[in-house]
Amino acid sequence: HVPVDTSTVCPAHLDNAIVVGALNKDNSIAYFSNYGESVDVAAPGVNIYSSYLNGEYKEMSGTSMATPFISACCAMFKLAYPSYSPKEIETLIKNYCIDLGKSGRDDYYGNGYINMYNAIPDCTVKYITNGGNTISDVKIKNSDEVKLPEPTKSFTVTLNANGGKVSTSSYRRECELEGWYNNSALGGTRFNPGGSYTIISDETMYAKWDNPTLGAVENPTRTDATFLGWYSAQSGGTKYTSLTSITANTTLYAHWSVKKNGTITTSKAIDNRQLTISWSSSGYRYVPSTGAAVLCTGTGTSYSGEYIPTQGTWTKDTGLTSGGAVFEISNLSSIRSYIKSLNNGTLT
């Protein structure tokens, strides 16, 4: 076949026709392909394996082998854009061509070799990490696969010793990515982090996390108090244990039981004896300053010994010298009032 100018043959010279040139396997124009101003695009047309007579298949060459490629592309565009006119479909065909031959349109390749992959709509995959590190949106072709990322998320636990001391005041707790979900309610199908999935439309993926627990943290030290635990507030709040879930950056405050130390001494001797009451973290004690006898309830009643608190009351310490009645007082204010009553209302 000797190439001819397409403007001289029918139907290639018609305005509504899409005129197709034939390409070799190296994308150069075939020796037999026609040329001219009406050539629109080019497609493979040499040694194309196709159906033949009597149910056979064979390789054939010609623009008749190239044209079905473009016919199929037109059908795909019409399926995607059913309201488009033939002219609009032709425009799409030309817009998705890869330029061949001379730069721009030319009389042999037309607008070039159509690449339908470029015509496939892009899909955007958005990632909402719900507190994890930011993941950029991804654009892929419809029906392509995307590998889901594996973001990280952590919380910082800060310890406020509240008058005490800790050697480590900050801990980092890592969250575990449970999975990705394509709805903000985090229900339905779970998509594995690191897995590959086919995307057929714009998609927004939401990360679901398993929160960490507090775990092991240092207990603070304080010389004048006993540590009670870590709490969510400086006063009151919720007590945290190693199993308490951490849901945000958190500051924990040490709570203390402050040890009580001091001495009350009567300003006037009772029955010629000075009475001293001392207290410490172990409780209150009556300690006579001179001699062993201590007047507790009134004239004529005396006993020896030292008294310590047990279950909120005062009982005699059996480890010391025994004798006399047991004197029970439940708190320091009662002790102070009692001493005042013994000492004519005065107390130092």
Side-chain angles (χ1 to χ4, degrees):
H1 173 76
V2 177
V4 297
D5 188 335
T6 53
S7 63
T8 64
V9 295
C10 184
H13 72 290
L14 299 176
D15 287 340
N16 290 333
I18 298 178
V19 180
V20 183
L23 296 173
N24 291 311
K25 63 180 180 179
D26 59 0
N27 285 340
S28 60
I29 201 71
Y31 74 91
F32 54 77
S33 189
N34 292 334
Y35 61 91
E37 292 182 359
S38 61
V39 174
D40 295 303
V41 293
V46 176
N47 296 331
I48 305 301
Y49 194 69
S50 180
S51 56
Y52 194 63
L53 299 174
N54 301 320
E56 295 181 4
Y57 291 85
K58 65 181 299 185
E59 290 184 351
M60 293 179 287
S61 300
T63 52
S64 296
M65 295 292 103
T67 300
F69 285 101
I70 303 304
S71 298
C73 293
C74 290
M76 293 172 68
F77 279 131
K78 187 63 176 176
L79 182 64
Y81 308 101
S83 64
Y84 275 30
S85 66
K87 204 67 179 175
E88 289 173 316
I89 297 295
E90 180 180 350
T91 299
L92 285 175
I93 292 290
K94 293 176 180 178
N95 286 344
Y96 289 106
C97 282
I98 298 173
D99 189 26
L100 297 174
K102 294 180 180 179
S103 180
R105 190 210 163 273
D106 63 68
D107 288 349
Y108 289 93
Y109 296 91
N111 290 277
Y113 175 23
I114 188 168
N115 185 337
M116 284 300 287
Y117 182 79
N118 290 341
I120 298 174
D122 287 334
C123 292
T124 300
V125 182
K126 294 180 177 291
Y127 297 103
I128 307 299
T129 59
N130 289 325
N133 60 294
T134 301
I135 304 294
S136 300
D137 296 349
V138 175
K139 286 189 177 293
I140 62 171
K141 293 296 182 182
N142 185 308
S143 299
D144 273 1
E145 284 192 345
V146 63
K147 183 177 181 180
L148 297 182
E150 300 178 73
T152 59
K153 178 181 178 181
S154 64
F155 296 127
T156 298
V157 178
T158 302
L159 302 182
N160 183 327
N162 203 13
K165 293 182 179 180
V166 289
S167 59
T168 302
S169 61
S170 181
Y171 293 81
R172 182 177 178 177
R173 295 294 182 253
E174 299 289 340
C175 301
E176 182 177 353
L177 181 59
E178 190 270 340
W180 290 100
Y181 294 82
N182 58 2
N183 62 86
S184 58
L186 304 178
T189 303
R190 175 183 177 275
F191 298 88
N192 293 325
S196 296
Y197 297 91
T198 300
I199 303 298
I200 60 174
S201 62
D202 289 344
E203 203 66 87
T204 301
M205 306 298 289
Y206 299 84
K208 182 178 181 180
W209 299 93
D210 288 332
N211 290 321
T213 57
L214 175 61
V217 295
E218 178 185 353
N219 285 344
T221 58
R222 181 173 165 179
T223 57
D224 66 338
T226 301
F227 178 60
L228 298 179
W230 291 108
Y231 286 77
S232 60
Q234 192 160 7
S235 177
T238 301
K239 185 175 183 178
Y240 275 57
T241 70
S242 61
L243 299 179
T244 303
S245 181
I246 302 297
T247 60
N249 292 332
T250 302
T251 298
L252 298 179
Y253 300 86
H255 282 202
W256 302 95
S257 174
V258 179
K259 298 176 181 179
K260 300 173 182 178
N261 297 283
T263 300
I264 297 175
T265 303
T266 57
S267 59
K268 181 180 178 181
I270 302 174
D271 257 9
N272 298 316
R273 297 183 185 277
Q274 193 78 16
L275 177 64
T276 299
I277 300 175
S278 298
W279 67 96
S280 66
S281 59
S282 60
Y284 304 106
R285 291 188 177 189
Y286 299 87
V287 180
S289 59
T290 59
V294 175
L295 178 65
C296 293
T297 59
T299 303
T301 303
S302 64
Y303 53 88
S304 301
E306 187 174 64
Y307 294 79
I308 60 174
T310 302
Q311 299 295 325
T313 62
W314 291 80
T315 58
K316 189 174 182 180
D317 187 343
T318 58
L320 301 178
T321 303
S322 60
V326 173
F327 175 47
E328 297 184 353
I329 292 182
S330 61
N331 55 56
L332 180 60
S333 63
S334 298
I335 297 172
R336 294 171 67 90
S337 298
Y338 184 71
I339 295 174
K340 284 185 178 181
S341 70
L342 293 180
N343 204 37
N344 301 319
T346 61
L347 175 68
T348 59

